[in-house]
């Protein structure tokens, strides 16, 4: 009991620090700690109360901060918290379908000493350094969607009504071409796999005229050729 209190109190204090900041940008160090704490089930339970998730989503969609969405993504990996995310599926989908997957323009560090001395602040600001913060935010939204393995969720409607199936088809169409990043393709496949927990969604993917299956097979063949 004492250990749970020690875990819960600092977590909630950090959460209040993040949500209480009205100046726009969130405190990077606090967010970094929360992101790591959210990987622990007990800490995630204290952070993932419905009101807390609601406020995090509201702040994340207002600022498009990739780190806030990464925090939500870590929370969404725990089954007992996933129902709290369902109301935000349309918001997540509206961000995801704008993701085109252009490769980020990375900035080379001048030397190894700079890399070794890199602060926590600069590590978490890599999103800004690449100039692709919006893509990073969208990718985290996709990661949240891919985590929502809920048998009671109507994924057929999610794929159809929210446009995610046609979007996934376009992403997989680019397989083998240089303009799609591996992490985007991976998260897209995870999202499709999660959706296929729903029988009707699985039929949409496998039995309709959708090219998803053929493109997944092409992806496997492409990866096999690259590794041989």
């Amino acid at each position: 009991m004492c250990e749970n209190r020690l875990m819960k109190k600092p977590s909630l204090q950090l959460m209040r620090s993040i949500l209480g900041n009205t100046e726009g940008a969130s405190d990077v160090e606090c967010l970094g700690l929360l992101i790591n704490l959210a990987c622990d089930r007990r800490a995630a339970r204290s952070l993932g109360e419905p009101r807390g998730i609601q406020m995090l989503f509201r702040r994340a969609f207002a600022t498009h901060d990739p780190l806030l969405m990464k925090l939500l993504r870590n929370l969404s990996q725990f089954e007992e918290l996933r129902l709290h995310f369902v109301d935000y599926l349309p918001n997540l989908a509206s961000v995801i379908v704008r993701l085109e997957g252009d490769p980020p323009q990375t900035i080379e560090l001048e030397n190894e000493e700079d890399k070794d001395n890199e602060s926590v602040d600069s590590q978490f600001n890599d999103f800004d350094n690449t100039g692709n913060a919006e893509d990073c935010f969208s990718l985290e939204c996709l990661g949240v969607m891919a985590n929502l393995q809920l048998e009671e969720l109507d994924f057929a409607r999610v794929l159809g009504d929210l446009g995610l199936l046609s979007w996934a088809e376009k992403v997989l169409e680019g397989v083998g071409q240089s303009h799609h990043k591996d992490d985007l393709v991976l998260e897209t496949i995870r999202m499709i796999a999660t959706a296929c927990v729903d029988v009707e969604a699985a039929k949409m993917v496998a039995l309709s005229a959708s090219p998803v299956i053929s493109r997944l097979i092409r992806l496997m063949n492409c990866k096999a050729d690259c590794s041989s």
Side-chain angles (χ1 to χ4, degrees):
M1 180 68 70
C2 180
E3 187 178 357
N4 286 340
R5 288 177 181 173
L6 289 173
M7 181 71 76
K8 185 172 183 178
K9 189 173 181 180
S11 301
L12 293 178
Q13 287 175 341
L14 286 169
M15 179 79 90
R16 293 190 188 102
S17 174
I18 296 297
L19 297 175
N21 181 4
T22 59
E23 297 180 358
S26 301
D27 185 280
V28 175
E29 287 80 7
C30 288
L31 254 179
L33 285 171
L34 282 173
I35 287 168
N36 288 332
L37 283 170
C39 294
D40 177 85
R41 186 178 296 273
R42 284 176 298 174
R45 284 172 179 167
S46 66
L47 295 171
E49 296 174 352
R51 177 63 175 166
I53 287 178
Q54 179 188 44
M55 295 179 71
L56 281 172
F57 266 117
R58 186 178 300 171
R59 182 67 175 270
F61 285 124
T63 62
H64 279 213
D65 186 338
L67 295 179
L68 281 173
M69 193 54 68
K70 182 179 285 292
L71 171 56
L72 284 161
R73 177 178 178 172
N74 284 357
L75 292 174
S76 69
Q77 68 184 307
F78 298 107
E79 184 176 359
E80 61 268 33
L81 302 180
R82 290 173 187 161
L83 279 175
H84 304 325
F85 289 75
V86 172
D87 289 341
Y88 306 97
L89 288 176
N91 306 79
L92 291 167
S94 68
V95 174
I96 292 168
V97 296
R98 295 199 298 266
L99 183 60
E100 297 180 355
D102 295 327
Q105 299 173 354
T106 55
I107 296 177
E108 296 293 334
L109 295 176
E110 292 183 1
N111 53 53
E112 289 299 319
E113 184 178 355
D114 290 338
K115 184 182 293 185
D116 293 337
N117 294 331
E118 192 177 37
S119 66
V120 172
D121 183 80
S122 64
Q123 290 177 27
F124 281 105
N125 278 326
D126 280 346
F127 294 115
D128 297 327
N129 291 339
T130 63
N132 278 280
E134 193 65 31
D135 277 2
C136 291
F137 180 77
S138 300
L139 191 62
E140 296 298 339
C141 289
L142 180 57
V144 172
M145 184 76 75
N147 281 346
L148 299 183
Q149 299 176 14
L150 293 166
E151 292 184 2
E152 58 268 42
L153 188 58
D154 187 352
F155 263 109
R157 290 190 61 187
V158 172
L159 292 180
D161 295 353
L162 301 182
L164 286 175
L165 182 58
S166 58
W167 173 83
E169 291 169 356
K170 292 177 183 177
V171 171
L172 295 175
E173 185 180 13
V175 167
Q177 302 175 19
S178 60
H179 70 282
H180 279 327
K181 298 183 293 183
D182 285 345
D183 52 358
L184 171 59
V185 174
L186 173 61
E187 293 303 326
T188 302
I189 294 171
R190 287 186 62 239
M191 185 269 291
I192 294 170
T194 295
C196 287
V197 171
D198 176 17
V199 173
E200 294 304 316
K203 289 178 180 178
M204 286 179 64
V205 171
L207 302 180
S208 68
S210 172
V212 165
I213 297 299
S214 62
R215 288 173 183 173
L216 287 174
I217 293 171
R218 186 176 68 183
L219 172 61
M220 289 190 294
N221 292 335
C222 179
K223 293 297 182 182
D225 291 341
C226 290
S227 61
S228 61

